[in-house]
Amino acid sequence: MSFDDISVISNRRHISLLTEDILYIQLSGRQSIIHFSDGRTYETYATIHELESMLGSGFIRADRATLVSIKGIHDIGKEIELVNGETLYYSCRKKRELKEQLRAGRRQIAQSLSDSAPFAFTDIEMVFNEERAAVDWIFRYGNEALTEIEKTPLQQLINHSFGSIFPNMDAKWLRVYERTALFGETLEIVYYSPEIDTKLKIISFPTFKGHCGCMLFKQTDIQTVVEYAAP
């Protein structure tokens, strides 16, 4: 799934908009209002149907007058909850369909990240107990570079929990990923992993509800560049 520019006419001007920054679009009278994640809005006479064709599979139709970015959705409950705290109405009879479209779109985004990353990447789903404390995680997506880090074939990682693969799991990882999944924090950690006997640098960032994405690097593969001032 790629995010490209689309071209629309707004206020009698042709403008180019980066689709990755669009949060949602709603019809208002004869105009479509394009809402961006940073609060900007643009008005255009392009129809919802025309915009849907331009935007592609990264957006879903909440109702006849609303298009929503899959990346911008936090959850679908009684209303669509967006990552910026806003909520949108949707047709209740479409709830099951929308949830499936959301799951499929998220899978596609995560797989796209996995395939294109030049480093080890995984998207993990956190497992919580009744007290909402993380107790394990499940590898949902990953790339071939991940197998080199984890020293385990991909088919033995995907859809399996970390604890079932590495019984000697260190709880320090759980606390970091828990903060990312629950509070949306992007964190960078450097730890020795006894599970694979390797020192790792990991950057965790929020992806979907209850998930976090992780970029993994062997510490021995990271080169430090020091710039010296000219004398």
Side-chain angles (χ1 to χ4, degrees), residues 6 17 28 30 91 98-99 123 151 174 176 180 212 227:
I6 63 169
L17 305 175
S28 178
R30 295 177 55 204
S91 176
L98 288 175
K99 279 184 168 287
D123 185 84
K151 303 176 183 178
L174 287 169
V176 173
T180 294
C212 67
E227 293 186 1

Side-chain angles (χ1 to χ4, degrees), residues 26-212:
Q26 279 191 321
L27 187 65
S28 178
R30 295 177 55 204
Q31 291 190 313
S32 298
I33 313 300
I34 304 173
H35 295 257
F36 279 71
S37 53
D38 61 5
R40 287 178 295 144
T41 61
Y42 292 93
E43 300 176 356
T44 178
Y45 282 103
T47 67
I48 291 290
H49 178 71
E50 290 169 338
L51 291 167
E52 184 177 23
S53 298
M54 287 189 276
L55 292 168
S57 59
F59 289 73
I60 57 178
R61 181 80 78 96
D63 57 32
R64 66 175 186 82
T66 307
L67 277 171
V68 191
S69 167
I70 289 173
K71 291 183 66 176
I73 297 175
H74 174 65
D75 194 19
I76 298 178
K78 291 183 178 180
E79 295 180 303
I80 295 175
E81 301 173 25
L82 302 179
V83 293
N84 67 346
E86 291 186 63
T87 58
L88 299 173
Y89 167 83
Y90 69 94
S91 176
C92 292
R93 61 184 174 81
K94 292 186 65 175
K95 184 173 185 177
R96 180 176 296 181
E97 177 187 348
L98 288 175
K99 279 184 168 287
E100 179 51 40
Q101 288 180 330
L102 180 62
R103 283 192 291 268
R106 285 174 168 175
R107 284 195 297 268
Q108 190 176 353
I109 291 171
Q111 194 61 56
S112 176
L113 286 171
S114 295
D115 294 342
S116 62
F119 44 79
F121 172 83
T122 181
D123 185 84
I124 59 177
E125 179 179 1
M126 302 306 298
V127 179
F128 297 96
N129 61 19
E130 294 180 354
E131 286 73 41
R132 296 295 291 164
V135 294
D136 206 342
W137 70 81
I138 300 169
F139 293 99
R140 289 306 186 193
Y141 310 99
N143 58 7
E144 286 299 327
L146 181 67
T147 67
E148 299 176 18
I149 293 281
E150 300 292 357
K151 303 176 183 178
T152 305
L154 202 57
Q155 61 268 26
Q156 294 181 25
L157 292 172
I158 303 305
N159 295 323
H160 292 83
S161 70
F162 189 84
S164 68
I165 304 168
F166 303 103
N168 61 332
M169 176 175 63
D170 193 323
K172 66 175 175 285
W173 307 113
L174 287 169
R175 305 287 76 82
V176 173
Y177 300 153
E178 179 184 70
R179 285 173 56 184
T180 294
L182 289 179
F183 307 114
E185 297 181 61
T186 297
L187 302 170
E188 180 179 311
I189 53 175
V190 178
Y191 280 144
Y192 168 74
S193 172
E195 300 91 349
I196 56 175
D197 189 28
T198 304
K199 190 174 183 180
L200 296 175
K201 174 182 177 179
I202 299 178
I203 300 173
S204 67
F205 56 95
T207 52
F208 319 123
K209 184 178 181 181
H211 289 233
C212 67

